[in-house]
Amino acid sequence: MEIYPVKGTHDLYDEEANLYRSVEAHCIFLANLFNYQEIRTPIIEHTNLFVRGVGESSDIVNKEMYTFFDKGDRSITLRPELTAGIMRSIVTNKLYATNDLPLKYYYLGPCFRYERPQAGRYRQFSQFGVEAIGAPTYLQDAEVISLGYRILYMLGIQNVKVYINSLGDEESRKNYREALKKYFAKHIDKMCADCKRRYEVNPLRILDCKVEEDQQIIKNAPKMSDYLSTEAKMYLNNVVSLLKEIDIEVIQDDNLVRGLDYYTGVVFEYHVDKVEGLDNVGALGGGGHYANLLKEIGGPDLEGVGLAFGIERLAYVYSHTTKESFKYGPDLYVMGMSQEIIDKNFSLCELLRSNGFVVETNYEVRSMKSLLKTAVRKNAKFALIIGEDEVLKGQVTVKNLKSQEQTSIKLDDMVRVLTTMINEYRADEAQEGEF
Ligand code: AMP
């Protein structure tokens, strides 16, 4: 019986795994640059955390959660996102009890949503994100947006568009909700089932609907910007002009509401322009300000702002923008030509690794020709050939697998010479990469 992977999941190996690791390393590098510390929270949480945190009117809670009862009859959910779990952790561990707010955390890990799999949409995917809690100022919002932008910039992703909107304060949102209800009351009979549900629980969510016919109706709906209080407008303007100061142009989008209920105030999304040969995978990431989330799950009254990128989407776009090869190989492929030499090479490899070389070797006797082929397939930089002749002379033969040049070096001198050769090889490669 063949066992298939679960629908909407994917395996990562070889070059693709290296590509993902590189994307993650870029994200973490940037988060560190802004002095965000890592936080790791469990993949499973009590279901009510997400119901309260992410919100009952969201598609995530309504349709997409992987929820089950454990053996103790508790309702458990595989996290569909990480923010709610991080807020829970901040409350559980009283991380807020510090004089040095804001708390600044970054995270990386798998999420689970029961969605219809398609390009850029999986049932298990990974998110990288940051949360800054306790500095209720437009500076914090602008900093988080700029961090996300820098990540995309560092990944060489061009044509990035940052969309921004404000969902306003409670008063603005209440008025806007009423205006939407009034407007959609005339149309809701013709709209999709999801919109009918959204109309009852949270009419703002209707603006997020992707159904073509509904879009036509949404187009003429009242605009949030007409309902924003003066403070909310000023806050948004401050964020926009701070970003402008650092050359990040944002596009104001009245229909941007985001799919999670906890957002209040500024929300944003990162997109890339449609590029030839690239599937449209939707938003690369997004986030926003949340004034009440921590309080709602039992914490103090501290506001926060966060963003999340989907690693799969970043990796997909990055794989088209980067020239880097993710086929990593060893510095040295140590080739022993007899069983006796192979046994001796065991400690030689150890010595080379302790000097910082990435080393691979053969464990069984094979012909020189076949070993060289393996070395090339493994993408090794140099083959280190050790046959009877080399043993007698106390030396090794080094072959540059790119230029095919071959030299002999004395065992006593081996580490020093190899270090120089590898450094030169890397310098050449770096120079080639520049063109
Ligand atoms: P959200 O938590 O819905 O705001 O999503 C943040 C980011 O996570 C999105 O912009 C995507 O990059 C990514 N994402 C969300 N859902 C999925 C999914 N089902 N598959 C892959 N990536 C996803």
Side-chain angles (χ1 to χ4, degrees), residues 18 82 85 91 105 121 127 143 159-160 197 200 257 281 286 318-319 329 421 424:
N18 293 336
L82 276 84
V91 177
Y105 288 111
R121 198 169 290 287
Q127 281 190 344
E143 187 190 278
N159 311 317
V160 172
R197 180 176 51 77
E200 295 305 329
V257 287
V281 288
Y318 183 47
S319 69
M421 291 173 86
E424 280 171 5

Side-chain angles (χ1 to χ4, degrees), residues 310-322:
I311 295 291
E312 286 72 10
R313 294 188 191 177
L314 289 185
Y316 174 72
V317 181
Y318 183 47
S319 69
H320 287 79
T321 57
T322 180

Side-chain angles (χ1 to χ4, degrees), residues 258-278:
R258 314 267 307 125
L260 304 99
D261 281 358
Y262 50 67
Y263 290 121
T264 55
V266 169
V267 288
F268 52 91
E269 269 181 7
Y270 304 90
H271 290 254
V272 266
D273 271 354
K274 191 146 176 42
V275 177
E276 180 85 22
L278 220 66

Side-chain angles (χ1 to χ4, degrees), residues 283-327:
L284 296 179
H289 192 101
Y290 43 87
N292 308 316
L293 180 56
L294 197 63
K295 196 170 54 183
E296 267 164 24
I297 61 170
D301 191 4
L302 292 175
E303 302 191 15
V305 52
L307 71 76
F309 280 116
I311 295 291
E312 286 72 10
R313 294 188 191 177
L314 289 185
Y316 174 72
V317 181
Y318 183 47
S319 69
H320 287 79
T321 57
T322 180
K323 292 198 173 53
E324 200 179 323
S325 158
F326 293 98
K327 187 168 166 47

Side-chain angles (χ1 to χ4, degrees), residues 26 72 81 91 107 135 299 367 383 396 431:
H26 279 82
E81 57 96 64
V91 177
Y107 61 81
S367 74
V396 293
Q431 214 170 27

